[in-house]
Amino acid sequence: MTARGRSVAVVGAGIAGLCSAKLLSEFGFDVHIYDRTPDVGGVWSVTRRYPGVTTQNNKGTYAFSDFPMPDEYPEWPTGEQVQRYLEGYVEHFGLRRLLRLNTEVVSADQDPVSERWRVTSRHLDSHELTVGEYDFLVVANGIFCDPFVPPYEGKGEYEAAGGRLCAASDFHDLADAEARDVLVVGYGKSSCDVAEALSEVAASTTVVAREVTWKMPRKLANVLNYKYILLTRLSEGLFEHVEQRGFGRFLVGRGKFVRNGLLGVVERVARRQLRLDRTGLVPEGSFERIVRHAVSLATEGFYEKVEAGTISVRRGRSIVVLREKDGRPVAELDDGTVLPADVVVCATGFVQRVPFLSAEVQARLFDDDGNFLLYRQILPDDVANLYFVGYGSSLFSPLSAEAAALWSVNHMLGGDIPPMEERREFVRSRLDWMIERTEGKQARGTNIIPFSLRHVDELLDEIDLNVGPGTRLLQWLLPARPSSYRHAAQELKRRHSVSGKNEVVSAER
C-alpha cells in the first residue's frame, strides 16, 4: 500500500495531533487537522492556560525528536512558552496549511462498505458546516479532553450570590482573584500551581484536598535534577511491570533491597525538603505510591506558603454544597466547616471523550466500565481505519506521541500486527494490571505512567524502529534524549521508499 491519494483527518492540534500530521504529510498523505481552539497547543492553548502553569518535564525531555526547545527557554518552560514552541514547530515544518482552527468536529461517521470517514465540522465563528471524506481518522484530542467540574449541590444559589465556579483551565486572569476568597479543589500539579499563583493576589487561598499525594521536588536536596530521578530507565525499573525484564526483574526480585533503599532515600529527602511533616501533609503509604495514577512535580513556593499560612490546606475534605450565607457565596465542607468562597477553582481531572463518534462506534471502543480498549493505546479492536494518538498518559508526551504516530503510519501502509485474538488478550491483561497498579486510577485505560520509555520501546520494537542497546544502556542513568529517536522516521521512509519530495516544507530554524 502507498499513501498516494489517501487522506487523513486528525482531530486535535496539540502535541499528538501536530506530530501525527507532520509525519503523515511526510509520507504523502493528504492531511487536515481540526481543532476547536483558535491556536495550536491542545492543553497549552491560550484558551486553557491557567495562572502559574509550567511543564512537569524539563525542556530537554519535553520536546520532539527533530525540534528541540529553544536554548533560551528556562529548564521548566511556562505554558505560554510551550505554546510558542508548538507554533514554531508548525512554522518550521510548514503545517499551517493543514490546520482547520476554530473548527469543531461535529460528527465522524464511517461508511460500512468503503470504511471511509465522513467528517462534519463547524466553524465556531461563522457556524458554517463543512463535510469532508477521508480514508483514515486519527483521534488526537487528548486524554485531557474536557475538564471535569463536580456537580455541586447549590450551584445556582452560589452563583446568584456572586460566586464563580470554574475549571482550572478556564481561569486565565489573576486579576479575577484579586482581594477575593479563593478555594482550589484538588491536590495535583494543576491545583498547587494555580493555588500558589492566585495566593499572590487573593484575600485568602484554601486548597480542599480529598487526598494528599507524594510529589517530587524539581531538584532533590536542591542539587539533583528531577529528571535523573524519575525520567530514566532505572526509575522505571524500580516499579514492578506486569512483564518485567532484564535488570528491572532483579530490582523487583532478589535486588529489592536496592530498590527499597533508593526509594527510601528519595522519600526522606523529599519529605524534609517539602516540609511535609511541619505542614501535616505527609501522604499515606510509601513514596512508591507517587506513580499510582500520576507523577506530580512539586510547585515552587507552594509548601513554603502553606507553612507560612498564606495557603491553607483542608486535608481529607471535600465540598458538599455551594450556597449563599449572609449575602456572600460560601462553600460547605463534609465536616460542616463553612468557608467564604468568592471563587472555586476545580483542578479535579478530565473526562476523556470522543463525542463526535457515533454511539455504535463508541460501543466498540469501551469495556463495560468505560475503559478504552486500544491495542498499544492506539488501535481499536474492530473499527477499521481509526487510530488514537496521545492516549497513553506519559512522562515523555512528545516522544510517546511520535512513537504512536510512527506505529500508526506503518500500520496504514500495511505493516503487520498480531492477530485479533492475540491483541484482545493483550489489551485485557494490560488493562486489568493497570487497574490493579493504579488502585482504580487508570484514567479510563490510558494510564501508562511510570512506564513511559517501556511503552515507547514496545511501540518501536513492534515496527523494528527502536534505538540500539547502547542508547538504551545510557538511558538507565541519564534521561532519554528525544533526539536519539530522530532516526526512526528516516528509517521508516527508507523502508517504504518515501523520497524527500513528499516531505512538508521546512525552513531553517
mmCIF file of all heavy atoms in Angstrom, residues 418-436:
data_model
loop_
_atom_site.group_PDB
_atom_site.id
_atom_site.type_symbol
_atom_site.label_atom_id
_atom_site.label_comp_id
_atom_site.label_asym_id
_atom_site.label_seq_id
_atom_site.Cartn_x
_atom_site.Cartn_y
_atom_site.Cartn_z
ATOM 1 N N PRO A 418 -0.085 -8.358 15.337
ATOM 2 C CA PRO A 418 -0.604 -9.666 15.771
ATOM 3 C C PRO A 418 -2.075 -9.833 15.401
ATOM 4 O O PRO A 418 -2.804 -8.851 15.192
ATOM 5 C CB PRO A 418 -0.415 -9.624 17.290
ATOM 6 C CG PRO A 418 0.672 -8.634 17.514
ATOM 7 C CD PRO A 418 0.500 -7.602 16.453
ATOM 8 N N PRO A 419 -2.542 -11.087 15.324
ATOM 9 C CA PRO A 419 -3.962 -11.332 15.003
ATOM 10 C C PRO A 419 -4.889 -10.787 16.088
ATOM 11 O O PRO A 419 -4.476 -10.527 17.221
ATOM 12 C CB PRO A 419 -4.045 -12.854 14.897
ATOM 13 C CG PRO A 419 -2.847 -13.370 15.628
ATOM 14 C CD PRO A 419 -1.789 -12.327 15.475
ATOM 15 N N MET A 420 -6.170 -10.665 15.735
ATOM 16 C CA MET A 420 -7.169 -10.031 16.591
ATOM 17 C C MET A 420 -7.224 -10.638 17.986
ATOM 18 O O MET A 420 -7.206 -9.915 18.992
ATOM 19 C CB MET A 420 -8.550 -10.128 15.939
ATOM 20 C CG MET A 420 -9.694 -9.577 16.773
ATOM 21 S SD MET A 420 -9.779 -7.791 16.744
ATOM 22 C CE MET A 420 -10.495 -7.532 15.114
ATOM 23 N N GLU A 421 -7.306 -11.950 18.101
ATOM 24 C CA GLU A 421 -7.456 -12.572 19.413
ATOM 25 C C GLU A 421 -6.250 -12.297 20.300
ATOM 26 O O GLU A 421 -6.381 -12.078 21.502
ATOM 27 C CB GLU A 421 -7.697 -14.077 19.264
ATOM 28 C CG GLU A 421 -9.094 -14.419 18.782
ATOM 29 C CD GLU A 421 -10.181 -13.755 19.616
ATOM 30 O OE1 GLU A 421 -10.126 -13.865 20.865
ATOM 31 O OE2 GLU A 421 -11.078 -13.120 19.033
ATOM 32 N N GLU A 422 -5.072 -12.306 19.709
ATOM 33 C CA GLU A 422 -3.871 -12.010 20.477
ATOM 34 C C GLU A 422 -3.875 -10.565 20.959
ATOM 35 O O GLU A 422 -3.485 -10.272 22.096
ATOM 36 C CB GLU A 422 -2.637 -12.285 19.613
ATOM 37 C CG GLU A 422 -1.333 -12.158 20.363
ATOM 38 C CD GLU A 422 -0.135 -12.524 19.512
ATOM 39 O OE1 GLU A 422 -0.284 -13.379 18.611
ATOM 40 O OE2 GLU A 422 0.959 -11.937 19.729
ATOM 41 N N ARG A 423 -4.331 -9.661 20.109
ATOM 42 C CA ARG A 423 -4.413 -8.249 20.506
ATOM 43 C C ARG A 423 -5.424 -8.061 21.628
ATOM 44 O O ARG A 423 -5.188 -7.326 22.582
ATOM 45 C CB ARG A 423 -4.782 -7.371 19.302
ATOM 46 C CG ARG A 423 -3.799 -7.436 18.152
ATOM 47 C CD ARG A 423 -3.915 -6.250 17.217
ATOM 48 N NE ARG A 423 -5.239 -5.972 16.750
ATOM 49 C CZ ARG A 423 -5.782 -6.436 15.617
ATOM 50 N NH1 ARG A 423 -5.069 -7.271 14.845
ATOM 51 N NH2 ARG A 423 -6.986 -6.099 15.256
ATOM 52 N N ARG A 424 -6.565 -8.716 21.508
ATOM 53 C CA ARG A 424 -7.593 -8.592 22.543
ATOM 54 C C ARG A 424 -7.101 -9.105 23.895
ATOM 55 O O ARG A 424 -7.350 -8.496 24.938
ATOM 56 C CB ARG A 424 -8.855 -9.347 22.119
ATOM 57 C CG ARG A 424 -9.675 -8.611 21.066
ATOM 58 C CD ARG A 424 -10.880 -9.407 20.654
ATOM 59 N NE ARG A 424 -11.743 -8.641 19.768
ATOM 60 C CZ ARG A 424 -12.724 -9.167 19.032
ATOM 61 N NH1 ARG A 424 -12.963 -10.465 19.096
ATOM 62 N NH2 ARG A 424 -13.453 -8.393 18.256
ATOM 63 N N GLU A 425 -6.406 -10.218 23.880
ATOM 64 C CA GLU A 425 -5.873 -10.765 25.122
ATOM 65 C C GLU A 425 -4.848 -9.817 25.733
ATOM 66 O O GLU A 425 -4.824 -9.616 26.953
ATOM 67 C CB GLU A 425 -5.230 -12.131 24.848
ATOM 68 C CG GLU A 425 -4.702 -12.803 26.095
ATOM 69 C CD GLU A 425 -4.090 -14.160 25.809
ATOM 70 O OE1 GLU A 425 -4.249 -14.660 24.674
ATOM 71 O OE2 GLU A 425 -3.451 -14.713 26.715
ATOM 72 N N PHE A 426 -4.009 -9.225 24.885
ATOM 73 C CA PHE A 426 -3.011 -8.276 25.360
ATOM 74 C C PHE A 426 -3.683 -7.073 26.012
ATOM 75 O O PHE A 426 -3.306 -6.649 27.116
ATOM 76 C CB PHE A 426 -2.128 -7.823 24.193
ATOM 77 C CG PHE A 426 -1.109 -6.776 24.555
ATOM 78 C CD1 PHE A 426 0.134 -7.143 25.051
ATOM 79 C CD2 PHE A 426 -1.392 -5.426 24.412
ATOM 80 C CE1 PHE A 426 1.078 -6.184 25.393
ATOM 81 C CE2 PHE A 426 -0.459 -4.454 24.753
ATOM 82 C CZ PHE A 426 0.772 -4.846 25.242
ATOM 83 N N VAL A 427 -4.683 -6.508 25.339
ATOM 84 C CA VAL A 427 -5.367 -5.317 25.858
ATOM 85 C C VAL A 427 -6.035 -5.616 27.190
ATOM 86 O O VAL A 427 -5.930 -4.841 28.148
ATOM 87 C CB VAL A 427 -6.403 -4.805 24.832
ATOM 88 C CG1 VAL A 427 -7.276 -3.715 25.457
ATOM 89 C CG2 VAL A 427 -5.709 -4.263 23.591
ATOM 90 N N ARG A 428 -6.713 -6.749 27.289
ATOM 91 C CA ARG A 428 -7.433 -7.068 28.519
ATOM 92 C C ARG A 428 -6.479 -7.296 29.681
ATOM 93 O O ARG A 428 -6.705 -6.815 30.798
ATOM 94 C CB ARG A 428 -8.285 -8.316 28.289
ATOM 95 C CG ARG A 428 -9.272 -8.628 29.401
ATOM 96 C CD ARG A 428 -10.382 -7.600 29.478
ATOM 97 N NE ARG A 428 -10.245 -6.692 30.608
ATOM 98 C CZ ARG A 428 -11.047 -5.668 30.826
ATOM 99 N NH1 ARG A 428 -12.027 -5.394 29.972
ATOM 100 N NH2 ARG A 428 -10.881 -4.890 31.866
ATOM 101 N N SER A 429 -5.388 -8.019 29.434
ATOM 102 C CA SER A 429 -4.456 -8.302 30.519
ATOM 103 C C SER A 429 -3.765 -7.032 30.987
ATOM 104 O O SER A 429 -3.574 -6.821 32.193
ATOM 105 C CB SER A 429 -3.426 -9.343 30.081
ATOM 106 O OG SER A 429 -2.616 -8.855 29.027
ATOM 107 N N ARG A 430 -3.406 -6.154 30.045
ATOM 108 C CA ARG A 430 -2.762 -4.902 30.421
ATOM 109 C C ARG A 430 -3.727 -3.998 31.189
ATOM 110 O O ARG A 430 -3.343 -3.332 32.145
ATOM 111 C CB ARG A 430 -2.233 -4.184 29.182
ATOM 112 C CG ARG A 430 -0.951 -4.764 28.619
ATOM 113 C CD ARG A 430 0.211 -4.604 29.604
ATOM 114 N NE ARG A 430 1.440 -5.191 29.120
ATOM 115 C CZ ARG A 430 2.362 -4.558 28.423
ATOM 116 N NH1 ARG A 430 2.194 -3.271 28.106
ATOM 117 N NH2 ARG A 430 3.451 -5.163 28.027
ATOM 118 N N LEU A 431 -4.971 -3.975 30.761
ATOM 119 C CA LEU A 431 -5.949 -3.124 31.443
ATOM 120 C C LEU A 431 -6.205 -3.623 32.856
ATOM 121 O O LEU A 431 -6.265 -2.824 33.807
ATOM 122 C CB LEU A 431 -7.255 -3.078 30.649
ATOM 123 C CG LEU A 431 -8.382 -2.231 31.243
ATOM 124 C CD1 LEU A 431 -7.944 -0.780 31.425
ATOM 125 C CD2 LEU A 431 -9.627 -2.297 30.355
ATOM 126 N N ASP A 432 -6.330 -4.927 33.037
ATOM 127 C CA ASP A 432 -6.545 -5.476 34.379
ATOM 128 C C ASP A 432 -5.379 -5.123 35.296
ATOM 129 O O ASP A 432 -5.566 -4.764 36.464
ATOM 130 C CB ASP A 432 -6.708 -7.000 34.305
ATOM 131 C CG ASP A 432 -8.025 -7.404 33.672
ATOM 132 O OD1 ASP A 432 -8.928 -6.551 33.568
ATOM 133 O OD2 ASP A 432 -8.155 -8.576 33.257
ATOM 134 N N TRP A 433 -4.168 -5.240 34.758
ATOM 135 C CA TRP A 433 -2.978 -4.895 35.548
ATOM 136 C C TRP A 433 -2.946 -3.400 35.850
ATOM 137 O O TRP A 433 -2.617 -2.979 36.959
ATOM 138 C CB TRP A 433 -1.728 -5.311 34.774
ATOM 139 C CG TRP A 433 -0.457 -4.753 35.326
ATOM 140 C CD1 TRP A 433 0.126 -5.025 36.537
ATOM 141 C CD2 TRP A 433 0.404 -3.802 34.690
ATOM 142 N NE1 TRP A 433 1.291 -4.312 36.687
ATOM 143 C CE2 TRP A 433 1.487 -3.561 35.573
ATOM 144 C CE3 TRP A 433 0.378 -3.149 33.463
ATOM 145 C CZ2 TRP A 433 2.526 -2.677 35.251
ATOM 146 C CZ3 TRP A 433 1.405 -2.275 33.131
ATOM 147 C CH2 TRP A 433 2.455 -2.046 34.021
ATOM 148 N N MET A 434 -3.329 -2.582 34.871
ATOM 149 C CA MET A 434 -3.342 -1.135 35.055
ATOM 150 C C MET A 434 -4.299 -0.736 36.179
ATOM 151 O O MET A 434 -3.979 0.107 37.016
ATOM 152 C CB MET A 434 -3.763 -0.458 33.741
ATOM 153 C CG MET A 434 -3.709 1.051 33.738
ATOM 154 S SD MET A 434 -4.445 1.753 32.229
ATOM 155 C CE MET A 434 -3.378 1.080 30.959
ATOM 156 N N ILE A 435 -5.461 -1.359 36.198
ATOM 157 C CA ILE A 435 -6.449 -1.048 37.234
ATOM 158 C C ILE A 435 -5.907 -1.410 38.610
ATOM 159 O O ILE A 435 -6.032 -0.646 39.582
ATOM 160 C CB ILE A 435 -7.767 -1.788 36.945
ATOM 161 C CG1 ILE A 435 -8.413 -1.242 35.663
ATOM 162 C CG2 ILE A 435 -8.731 -1.668 38.125
ATOM 163 C CD1 ILE A 435 -9.579 -2.059 35.167
ATOM 164 N N GLU A 436 -5.272 -2.577 38.707
ATOM 165 C CA GLU A 436 -4.696 -3.006 39.985
ATOM 166 C C GLU A 436 -3.545 -2.093 40.402
ATOM 167 O O GLU A 436 -3.471 -1.668 41.558
ATOM 168 C CB GLU A 436 -4.192 -4.445 39.857
ATOM 169 C CG GLU A 436 -3.538 -4.973 41.124
ATOM 170 C CD GLU A 436 -2.962 -6.365 40.955
ATOM 171 O OE1 GLU A 436 -3.003 -6.895 39.818
ATOM 172 O OE2 GLU A 436 -2.466 -6.925 41.948
#
